[in-house]
Amino acid sequence: MAENEEFQLESEKQMTTDMSDKDITHILEKCGTFGPYQRWFYAYITIICMLCTTPGMNFTFITASVPFLCYPPNFNASLIPANLTENEYLQMLQPDGDDQCSEYNNSFTGTYYTTPSSNSSELQCSYGRKFPTEKFSSVVSEFDLVCERKWLKSTLQSMYFAGYLIGSIVFGVLSDRFGRKSIFLLTNTVLVVCGITKIFVPSLIGYIIVYCIQGAGYIGTIISTYALTLEFTSLKLRTPINCWYFSGVQLGGLFLPVYAYAIPDWHYLELALCLLPVINFFISIFLPESPRWLIGKKRFPEAKALLEKVMKKNNQPNEEVLDIFTNMEENRIKNSLRGNTRGVVLPKKRNHTFIDLFKTSWLALITLNICFTWMVCSMLYYGVTLNSLDMAGNRYINVFIIMAIEFPSFYCTYYLFTRFDHRKPITFFLVFSGLNCIASNFVTKEQMG
């Protein structure tokens, strides 16, 4: 009798409701890998990515350089010669060359200012500046981020990417705990609220703080929707769906120069772009939670209801799949009840953390390698994107080309990945990009025309 009871208790301890990733993948494939439900799901995700990318990537134009003119000491506009406008006279004070932060010292005849010559002495542009914002404006003109204050522009941009870093860690952990959809709704709210708040912030410090939080919100939307997308996808479709996902991101970026051209004032541009993600709240009504996350959290009734809906939409009914979740929920309840009544301590599945990526030397080496590669790629990508406005040619066309060039690269990468696996194409692109960065240092302005 005692032996039977001991055996029964041991069986109860071993009773588990955990499923392996392979089991979950098999269940998802039973529900249909790319049926009508998945196609609608990917369409929603594409729209969401487009609407989030425009306010998330608008730093390209929001922090763009704006031409400016320098005021001379003790400037009096009434002393400008009658045949010149204020802007024309201030433009004449600008020396030839690339240095905008110096000006000719103006002289006074007793009635009007005289026209400076190339022999006139030069002064630093520290007596006030004027930003002609008829064509476009940015926070550079708003907070005078030029010359001796130019470092504040770099600080502003750096803090935005500091928000990226913070958001990647914080919202990555939170999405594991509270779900992909919940964190997406939270970060989408952050993106909208911070974007609107920035317009009315009177100080640069306040703007930097809000900008940093917005950066965290933007990367949070990317992390949560990216995880949701891949966790809804079977293993054999992850590579093409990955390309599809980032095509949606770039499609939003493709419209960014169009918006910036149509709305030259940065206040209205920011407002227009940050109202776009409001549409995501309505789309989220049709957005499901990740089935993998639901199963991992042992929320089997919700997972069952979701997959039942998927199978119905895909016209692939499968009672075996539904029975699995029914049985697992029953086991979970039995485990809970028996553990409480008999004092049985059931084995708990260990939750992995970021620390596990450094458990062994080999795993730590891989982790550091990937982190370093991502850091370098991000520096190059955003460096080119941010400076595309200052390149030769039209600033709007430059950004459009930068965004558009990624579409062929996505599908070229997909082809190479399916043909040569991952390591060789990645190595090739890293070396190719590095050589181009080195070669670009030897290209002169004369060669660029």
Side-chain angles (χ1 to χ4, degrees):
M1 183 72 178
E3 291 180 358
N4 290 337
E5 186 174 348
E6 184 179 350
F7 176 77
Q8 186 177 2
L9 289 174
E10 186 65 23
S11 299
E12 290 170 354
K13 290 181 182 180
Q14 293 177 354
M15 186 179 292
T16 178
T17 56
D18 293 331
M19 295 180 68
S20 67
D21 185 70
K22 185 177 180 180
D23 294 332
I24 299 174
T25 300
H26 181 69
I27 290 174
L28 291 177
E29 290 176 349
K30 288 285 186 181
C31 300
T33 56
F34 197 68
Y37 189 94
Q38 283 86 352
R39 289 195 288 270
W40 275 108
F41 170 76
Y42 296 135
Y44 293 143
I45 290 292
T46 301
I47 297 172
I48 287 172
C49 289
M50 290 175 56
L51 297 176
C52 288
T53 300
T54 43
M57 292 285 288
N58 69 358
F59 56 78
T60 308
F61 290 97
I62 296 299
T63 62
S65 299
V66 179
F68 63 92
L69 301 170
C70 300
Y71 284 115
N74 303 316
F75 179 70
N76 187 343
S78 63
L79 300 180
I80 297 176
N83 61 332
L84 296 175
T85 64
E86 180 177 315
N87 285 358
E88 289 174 340
Y89 178 73
L90 294 178
Q91 186 66 51
M92 296 176 67
L93 295 179
Q94 298 289 127
D96 295 332
D98 297 329
D99 184 15
Q100 279 193 294
C101 294
S102 62
E103 60 178 336
Y104 288 127
N105 190 12
N106 64 332
S107 55
F108 181 60
T109 62
T111 306
Y112 296 106
Y113 289 131
T114 59
T115 303
S117 65
S118 58
N119 296 324
S120 301
S121 59
E122 294 186 14
L123 302 172
Q124 288 298 311
C125 184
S126 57
Y127 300 96
R129 289 173 279 266
K130 180 179 182 180
F131 292 86
T133 56
E134 293 81 9
K135 292 184 178 180
F136 57 89
S137 66
S138 74
V139 294
V140 172
S141 56
E142 182 78 12
F143 297 109
D144 190 22
L145 306 182
V146 294
C147 297
E148 74 278 1
R149 290 171 56 86
K150 189 175 182 179
W151 66 275
L152 290 170
K153 175 186 173 181
S154 301
T155 302
L156 174 66
Q157 294 170 336
S158 297
M159 289 303 296
Y160 184 73
F161 291 106
Y164 264 40
L165 176 61
I166 296 170
S168 299
I169 298 172
V170 173
F171 292 122
V173 173
L174 291 179
S175 67
D176 285 340
R177 182 168 183 178
F178 298 105
R180 317 309 188 194
K181 183 177 178 179
S182 300
I183 297 305
F184 162 68
L185 292 173
L186 172 63
T187 53
N188 193 69
T189 303
V190 171
L191 191 61
V192 174
V193 172
C194 288
I196 297 174
T197 303
K198 284 194 306 181
I199 302 172
F200 304 101
V201 173
S203 67
L204 180 60
I205 294 178
Y207 187 95
I208 290 175
I209 294 172
V210 176
Y211 203 37
C212 179
I213 298 173
Q214 187 186 33
Y218 170 61
I219 199 64
T221 61
I222 296 297
I223 287 175
S224 55
T225 54
Y226 184 66
L228 177 58
T229 302
L230 291 190
E231 289 175 354
F232 219 102
T233 306
S234 63
L235 291 177
K236 64 181 180 181
L237 288 178
R238 283 193 177 180
T239 299
I241 294 302
N242 189 67
C243 293
W244 186 344
Y245 177 89
F246 284 103
S247 294
V249 173
Q250 288 308 120
L251 194 59
L254 207 61
F255 285 99
L256 181 59
V258 179
Y259 293 129
Y261 179 79
I263 311 174
D265 186 279
W266 80 269
H267 301 86
Y268 296 113
L269 176 63
E270 182 74 47
L271 179 62
L273 296 182
C274 287
L275 288 178
L276 290 176
V278 173
I279 302 173
N280 290 337
F281 293 115
F282 299 97
I283 297 177
S284 66
I285 297 173
F286 308 100
L287 203 65
E289 182 54 88
S290 165
R292 291 178 183 270
W293 184 83
L294 290 173
I295 295 171
K297 292 296 181 179
K298 297 181 174 55
R299 293 164 62 168
F300 300 122
E302 295 174 61
K304 177 183 176 181
L306 171 59
L307 295 181
E308 188 174 12
K309 186 186 297 184
V310 174
M311 289 187 291
K312 183 178 180 180
K313 186 72 174 178
N314 291 342
N315 196 25
Q316 290 192 8
N318 193 316
E319 291 299 325
E320 293 180 8
V321 172
L322 301 180
D323 290 341
I324 289 174
F325 290 104
T326 301
N327 295 334
M328 294 187 74
E329 177 63 11
E330 291 175 355
N331 289 341
R332 187 189 68 80
I333 295 174
K334 288 178 182 178
N335 284 345
S336 177
L337 292 176
R338 292 178 181 179
N340 290 335
T341 57
R342 300 194 179 188
V344 177
V345 180
L346 298 174
K348 292 185 178 180
K349 185 178 179 181
R350 180 176 176 272
N351 292 322
H352 294 281
T353 64
F354 178 76
I355 304 299
D356 292 307
L357 295 174
F358 299 90
K359 283 291 186 181
T360 65
S361 58
W362 178 246
L363 194 57
L365 182 62
I366 294 175
T367 301
L368 293 174
N369 188 2
I370 293 175
C371 289
F372 179 76
T373 302
W374 265 108
M375 182 184 71
V376 172
C377 290
S378 296
M379 289 173 61
L380 176 60
Y381 175 80
Y382 290 112
V384 172
T385 303
L386 284 168
N387 288 285
S388 60
L389 275 71
D390 298 324
M391 296 179 183
N394 185 284
R395 59 171 53 199
Y396 304 103
I397 295 177
N398 288 348
V399 175
F400 185 87
I401 292 174
I402 290 291
M403 298 297 177
I405 198 64
E406 294 199 38
F407 287 98
S409 70
F410 287 147
Y411 298 102
C412 174
T413 302
Y414 168 65
Y415 170 76
L416 293 175
F417 278 1
T418 54
R419 180 74 183 273
F420 302 104
D421 206 356
H422 291 69
R423 182 180 297 182
K424 291 181 180 178
I426 290 174
T427 303
F428 168 76
F429 284 123
L430 288 174
V431 173
F432 181 74
S433 300
L435 292 175
N436 275 276
C437 287
I438 295 172
S440 65
N441 289 284
F442 299 98
V443 179
T444 63
K445 289 185 177 181
E446 291 75 16
Q447 291 172 327
M448 294 175 62

